[in-house]
Amino acid sequence: LYIWLIFNVFLAVLLFFDFVILSRKEKIIEFKQAGLLTIFWKSIAALVGLWIFLYGDTKLGIEYTTAFLSELALSVDNLFVFIIIFNYFSVPDSLKMRALTFGIVGALIARAIFITIGVAVISKFGWVMVILGIFLIFTAYKLAFKKNKDPNPKNNILVKIFSKFMKVSDKYQGYKFFIRSNSKKIIATPFFLTVIVLASTDIVFAVDSIPTVFGITDNAFIIWSSNAMAVLGLRPLFFLIANLVDLFRFLQFGLATILFFIGSKMIFEHLHHGHIVGPQSDVFISMGIIVGVLTTSILASVLFPAGKQNIEKIS
């Protein structure tokens, strides 16, 4: 219990530092600053991993590292959708940092809920692992071969419902959610719609990512800590990715391969009531495959960059 308490207090301090101190003003994050902040937050995640290595054991440390890398890679893919959302709503650069704040909070809440439900269900119904494995394999197929994904915010069900009940302003008023029109009626701002879409996509992302980490470990603390550290610091990473978007051309194929591997592993382990090689060996095998696939997809993207037309489609 005290391990959970220590980590969550530490997480609360980091969130306060990130959201209150670093985000006191509306500001634009430059590329260099985004790079430095990204290094800072990933260093924090590495320190948490070192803590788990020292006060847990090697197996837990490797599980944390593997889960963290998987969740971080999936988060990078999700950031591409955030880029589309911001472009659609024409969010000013000075407001993107604040909008991402709500996105990060939503991501943490969604993951906490799904992790709690997942641990409770899997502990009582082991066969759920097979369902999750099939879901991951299907997700891998969609990620690799479905080119017609439509993240257009105008098709978001929450936006459609909300627009029927309240008028939406066509202008931003800082990061206000609601303003009064000339007729003194309360109307929503585009910033509020942006936050609604970010929150709903957070739920979708959690549905995709949580089964992945369950395929790596069944330790609730490792699942939560790796997810929290992967999500924390996504804001500066967003601004870094926005400038390097063309370097990740093959990332979706790498992620699809990882999801297919983890899904197959979950099904195999449940049906055969054991590990592929052994408890310790399987952890190292999983990390080796995930690191290898991610490295290969990034190197392939660098060696074979996208053409101008592809880059325009992404951005």
Side-chain angles (χ1 to χ4, degrees):
L1 181 61
Y2 78 90
I3 293 296
W4 281 89
L5 181 62
I6 291 173
F7 176 77
N8 286 317
V9 169
F10 178 64
L11 179 61
V13 172
L14 291 177
L15 289 172
F16 177 83
F17 173 75
D18 188 18
F19 297 160
V20 178
I21 298 179
L22 291 183
S23 305
R24 285 180 298 176
K25 300 179 180 179
E26 301 173 16
K27 58 182 179 180
I28 299 174
I29 302 298
E30 301 295 340
F31 180 77
K32 181 179 179 180
Q33 184 182 6
L36 293 174
L37 285 173
T38 298
I39 293 173
F40 168 76
W41 288 115
K42 300 321 162 195
S43 299
I44 296 294
L47 287 176
V48 172
L50 180 62
W51 175 54
I52 293 174
F53 265 105
L54 294 176
Y55 290 94
D57 54 39
T58 302
K59 181 176 179 293
L60 289 177
I62 297 297
E63 285 181 350
Y64 167 84
T65 304
T66 306
F68 170 77
L69 290 174
S70 299
E71 293 301 311
L72 182 62
L74 288 169
S75 298
V76 169
D77 189 56
N78 297 338
L79 290 179
F80 292 135
V81 178
F82 285 178
I83 293 174
I84 295 173
I85 292 171
F86 286 156
N87 287 344
Y88 176 82
F89 285 109
S90 299
V91 180
D93 290 339
S94 59
L95 295 180
K96 289 179 180 177
M97 193 73 164
R98 183 59 64 98
L100 287 169
T101 297
F102 292 100
I104 300 303
V105 172
L108 286 172
I109 293 174
R111 280 162 170 74
I113 293 173
F114 281 108
I115 289 171
T116 302
I117 295 174
V119 170
V121 171
I122 290 174
S123 63
K124 290 192 175 183
F125 309 102
W127 52 266
V128 172
M129 294 293 284
V130 175
I131 304 299
L132 293 179
I134 295 173
F135 173 76
L136 287 181
I137 293 174
F138 177 67
T139 303
Y141 167 76
K142 288 198 303 179
L143 191 60
F145 300 108
K146 293 289 186 180
K147 301 296 184 181
N148 59 344
K149 291 188 298 182
D150 185 13
N152 197 328
K154 73 178 181 181
N155 295 321
N156 185 284
I157 186 65
L158 291 180
V159 171
K160 288 182 177 180
I161 294 174
F162 183 83
S163 299
K164 291 182 178 181
F165 292 95
M166 179 170 282
K167 184 179 179 181
V168 180
S169 169
D170 58 353
K171 293 183 180 180
Y172 285 88
Q173 296 289 333
Y175 48 82
K176 291 181 179 178
F177 283 169
F178 302 98
I179 58 174
R180 288 189 179 275
S181 63
N182 295 332
S183 59
K184 302 302 181 182
K185 290 184 178 181
I186 297 177
I187 60 176
T189 65
F191 186 76
F192 182 67
L193 284 187
T194 303
V195 171
I196 286 180
V197 176
L198 287 176
S200 61
T201 52
D202 280 334
I203 296 174
V204 175
F205 295 160
V207 171
D208 284 342
S209 65
I210 296 304
T212 303
V213 76
F214 272 112
I216 296 171
T217 178
D218 58 359
N219 186 298
F221 178 77
I222 298 300
I223 294 172
W224 170 240
S225 60
S226 61
N227 265 268
M229 288 297 102
V231 170
L232 197 65
L234 279 186
R235 294 189 305 164
L237 184 60
F238 168 85
F239 294 98
L240 195 65
I241 294 297
N243 287 278
L244 299 175
V245 66
D246 56 307
L247 290 182
F248 297 91
R249 179 186 180 190
F250 294 106
L251 179 63
Q252 69 182 73
F253 299 106
L255 292 176
T257 303
I258 291 172
L259 293 178
F260 178 82
F261 162 71
I262 295 176
S264 302
K265 176 174 172 287
M266 292 170 75
I267 295 173
F268 177 87
E269 289 182 344
H270 179 76
L271 294 180
H272 290 269
H273 305 287
H275 297 273
I276 297 175
V277 179
Q280 189 82 12
S281 301
D282 280 9
V283 174
F284 284 98
I285 291 173
S286 296
M287 187 177 74
I289 290 176
I290 290 171
V291 172
V293 170
L294 287 176
T295 302
T296 301
S297 62
I298 293 174
L299 287 178
S301 299
V302 174
L303 295 175
F304 305 100
K308 292 183 179 180
Q309 292 181 346
N310 292 332
I311 296 174
E312 289 173 357
K313 285 181 181 180
I314 295 175
S315 58

